[in-house]
Amino acid sequence: MDFFKPIVRTLHGLDGEDAHIATLHLLKLGALTGIGPSSDYNPPELSVTIPYDGGALEVGNCVGLAAGFDKNADVPLAMIRAGFGFVECGTVTPLPQAGNPRPRLFRLKEDEAVINRMGFNNKGLEVFSGHLSRYAGRPNHAVIGANIGANKDATDRMNDYVTGLKTLWGLSSYFTVNISSPNTPGLRALQGRGHLDELLSRIAETRHDLKSVTGSNYPIFLKIAPDLDEAEIVDTVESAIDHELDGLIISNTTLARPETLKSPHAGESGGLSGEPLFALSTQALRVAYGASGGKLLLIGAGGINSGERAYAKIRAGASLVQLYSALVYEGPGLTDRIKRDLVKRLRADGFTHISQAVGQG
């Protein structure tokens, strides 16, 4: 029985952003904790080891929560208890930011999709780091990542990423450099090879300095757009390898609008996520996997709403997957359904561990 389905139906009576705010409030109050059983389903077949210079990050299961749900690191442990193997908080910017005017979040119910133009609304690094510091003694299996971004009006956006890395070093299990949101004007220009090399060089230098001072190191990923062409994806992969990043998240939302969209909200501006993003993001994943030669760990995101979709991402080259938009329609019970289906699919194909299926189809 999915205990959360009635709550999902109730929340759909609210505006999309209001429903999101209400969900976070309920989670912070612990009001949702007793509705369904906490998930401790972490089958060994789905465990993942993320290697990095100086160590390895152990993830209990390969299904993660994408950035955007918990922008201020308010409820990561609640989402771990809901069954996610890892939770990515943010995007966080150095200074608090209101984001774009409302309405800015739209459910495309007919398409099982979402369009958002939030604009990195968040409470800033001071609040975010304060929240993460609460979890300093968290269990080892509670992998909580930080997705870092740049303020809209920053005069040096690259320095904003450096600031995020410095401020959160020692508080986060891993870092994601988000240069692919379509809702901050000019941000995606950082994906161009020249700008990207400069940014990643600064990230690598900062990482080296922090490691030297603290003796600690953490995985660093780059989150890219699905709208890059094949040559641009290859360039991005090469730059990430050159600057010793640990992996890529593929992908962020898309500016494309497939002709198949049926919702009256299809014409809204912003990034499209959910079911219509699956094919585009999975093809980008395949290209990146082919170009990386096993030198980068890939995380597949975009359109995952079932075990079948998650498995397709893994066979396309992802070692881990992330979802968010599907929760809008399915609720957190989806997480365990995906994990159980993944185990069945692995066994049906003769695999004993998820790593054996990566890039196999």
Side-chain angles (χ1 to χ4, degrees):
M1 175 181 179
D2 191 332
F3 295 89
F4 297 97
K5 280 289 189 180
I7 297 175
V8 171
R9 288 193 292 270
T10 300
L11 290 172
H12 275 219
L14 301 175
D15 164 81
E17 187 167 354
D18 287 338
H20 182 217
I21 292 169
T23 300
L24 290 174
H25 280 311
L26 289 170
L27 287 166
K28 282 191 281 187
L29 292 170
L32 297 180
T33 307
I35 294 173
S38 294
S39 173
D40 56 2
Y41 180 61
N42 288 308
E45 296 96 326
L46 302 184
S47 64
V48 178
T49 299
I50 302 174
Y52 60 92
D53 183 23
L57 181 61
E58 302 295 335
V59 182
N61 74 75
C62 64
V63 182
L65 177 63
F69 178 83
D70 192 1
K71 292 177 178 293
N72 299 301
D74 286 311
V75 293
L77 291 185
M79 300 313 289
I80 292 288
R81 288 193 293 270
F84 288 101
F86 62 108
V87 171
E88 188 167 311
C89 300
T91 298
V92 61
T93 55
L95 299 176
Q97 188 163 274
N100 295 319
R102 294 184 63 172
R104 54 192 181 180
L105 181 65
F106 306 90
R107 301 187 196 95
L108 282 66
K109 295 180 181 178
E110 298 86 348
D111 308 294
E112 294 185 35
V114 173
I115 289 176
N116 92 83
R117 50 173 181 264
M118 304 298 287
F120 284 174
N121 58 305
N122 73 102
K123 296 179 180 179
L125 276 173
E126 183 176 355
V127 170
F128 191 96
S129 61
H131 290 174
L132 280 188
S133 66
R134 300 173 185 169
Y135 315 125
R138 63 184 179 261
N140 291 333
H141 68 271
V143 175
I144 302 172
N147 183 300
I148 55 177
N151 282 111
K152 180 179 179 179
D153 58 357
T155 55
D156 182 353
R157 284 182 173 172
M158 293 187 188
N159 191 60
D160 278 11
Y161 292 96
V162 170
T163 299
L165 205 59
K166 288 180 176 178
T167 303
L168 300 175
W169 198 259
L171 298 175
S172 179
S173 304
Y174 70 89
F175 295 89
T176 297
V177 178
N178 184 359
I179 56 172
S180 52
S181 169
N183 300 315
T184 297
L187 187 74
R188 286 192 171 190
L190 292 175
Q191 293 180 119
R193 183 62 186 263
H195 291 304
L196 184 59
D197 279 334
E198 182 181 353
L199 171 62
L200 296 188
S201 178
R202 293 176 69 172
I203 292 290
E205 181 180 358
T206 302
R207 182 189 204 179
H208 177 269
D209 291 345
L210 289 167
K211 182 183 176 185
S212 297
V213 171
T214 67
S216 298
N217 196 17
Y218 304 92
I220 299 180
F221 306 124
L222 179 71
K223 188 168 186 175
I224 68 172
D227 305 311
L228 301 177
D229 62 32
E230 186 168 332
E232 290 170 327
I233 294 172
V234 172
D235 271 352
T236 300
V237 167
E238 291 175 350
S239 185
I241 293 171
D242 288 347
H243 294 95
E244 299 182 338
L245 263 66
D246 301 286
L248 299 178
I249 298 179
I250 305 168
S251 69
N252 213 318
T253 59
T254 180
L255 290 170
R257 295 293 183 268
E259 294 181 359
T260 55
L261 294 179
K262 301 174 183 177
S263 170
H265 294 303
E268 293 289 347
S269 62
L272 174 70
S273 60
E275 201 280 337
L277 179 57
F278 176 77
L280 182 64
S281 59
T282 305
Q283 178 57 26
L285 175 63
R286 289 192 188 95
V287 173
Y289 181 75
S292 67
K295 295 179 181 178
L296 294 172
L297 181 138
L298 303 180
I299 301 176
I304 297 173
N305 56 14
S306 66
E308 178 184 12
R309 288 287 177 86
Y311 195 49
K313 294 283 190 186
I314 291 159
R315 294 189 67 106
S319 295
L320 299 152
V321 297
Q322 288 180 325
L323 57 93
Y324 171 17
S325 294
L327 297 180
V328 173
Y329 299 101
E330 299 291 335
L334 174 64
T335 313
D336 269 7
R337 293 200 298 275
I338 288 176
K339 289 185 290 184
R340 294 183 190 281
D341 191 47
L342 279 176
V343 171
K344 290 179 182 178
R345 291 176 184 276
L346 286 172
R347 292 172 178 169
D349 286 343
F351 299 128
T352 58
H353 192 267
I354 194 98
S355 59
Q356 298 168 333
V358 174
Q360 294 301 306

